[in-house]
Amino acid sequence: SGLSRRIHHCYFKTYLWQNGSTDSTFTVSVPGNYYVTVTDSCGNISSDSVIVIAAPIETLDIGNDLTICQKDTVTLNATPGFISYDWTPNYNITNTSGSPTKVYPYLDTIYKLKATKRPGCTLLDSIRISLFPKTVLALGKDTSICTGTFIILDAGPGFQNYLWSNGAISQQITVSQKAKYSISATDFNGCKSTDTLEILNIFPNPIVTLAKDTLLCVGKTLTLNAGTGYQNYLWQDASTGSTYIVNTTGIYWVTVTDNNKCVGNSDTTKILAIVPNPSNFLVDDT
């Protein structure tokens, strides 16, 4: 930087610098040997000199731009030996006034560093931290299943490898037990995604009981009752009431679904025959 050298004396009348300039001030911008000769009002001549040397070349380096996985933390190391460090912005960074420091941005961010080597000597550097696109892994909400059923947990495509809590390494697993199931999957950028799904309950299946196989009298009907409190009913002819009226021979069955979406085993009733009502059971008039 420029350096001004001023000669002060109340009797100096003339100034002569090494380059022939005659001002009382001489601005220096390059290293070298600088001198001045002065004459006072009495005619006395004096001279002085100063040597200006180049300061050592300083460098500041915080590394190349980086791309990291979401939720990862990276350590930034600046060139050591500076008396102060000032990081900006103050966003997901552990230390804004020192080195090393750790950053964990959730968005692409440019971190800037201003470092002071000594008073008047400040250097700047910056680094861009980018994030790999997130590969989505979602098993879904916790759920419950019915006795005798199962669900397929699918971690989805786009990963290089999979590791389930039960040791499986496939994209999908089939589960039927009450438990927590977790998955850690690594994508092709080396970024890991995790998720957990819990089977909360194993609900029992509903049990429906119809009347036993029977006979039906001529002109009579029989009401089959599948019970109350179920969400859905399905009879052999696709009717959906909780009761069903029969008046002919045949096989009748019903399936019920409860409020937990569990389907019970069907039950069946047979009407074996239509029998005549009793008649002529008294003797003739006599």
Side-chain angles (χ1 to χ4, degrees), residues 1 55-59 82-84 114-124:
S1 61
I57 297 175
E58 304 291 352
T59 59
F82 289 79
I83 61 176
S84 68
K114 180 172 68 174
T116 300
K117 186 69 174 181
R118 55 185 172 274
C121 181
T122 299
L123 284 81
L124 304 173

Side-chain angles (χ1 to χ4, degrees), residues 138-237:
L139 298 179
K141 296 181 180 180
D142 295 344
T143 188
S144 298
I145 60 176
C146 304
T147 301
T149 63
F150 61 86
I151 59 173
I152 296 175
L153 303 184
D154 189 348
F159 294 96
Q160 190 173 25
N161 56 64
Y162 304 83
L163 180 60
W164 294 87
S165 53
N166 63 356
I169 56 174
S170 56
Q171 177 182 325
Q172 299 178 342
I173 61 172
T174 300
V175 297
S176 60
Q177 302 296 320
K178 180 180 178 180
K180 285 185 178 181
Y181 299 90
S182 59
I183 172 70
S184 175
T186 305
D187 65 17
F188 291 91
N189 292 318
C191 299
K192 289 186 177 180
S193 297
T194 61
D195 198 13
T196 299
L197 181 142
E198 182 177 3
I199 295 183
L200 303 170
N201 292 291
I202 306 293
F203 293 122
N205 293 316
I207 299 174
V208 60
T209 302
L210 297 179
K212 295 180 179 180
D213 296 349
T214 187
L215 302 174
L216 193 62
C217 299
V218 172
K220 300 297 182 180
T221 61
L222 175 66
T223 299
L224 301 178
N225 192 336
T228 59
Y230 298 116
Q231 190 176 64
N232 293 304
Y233 301 83
L234 182 62
W235 295 86
Q236 74 289 329
D237 62 352

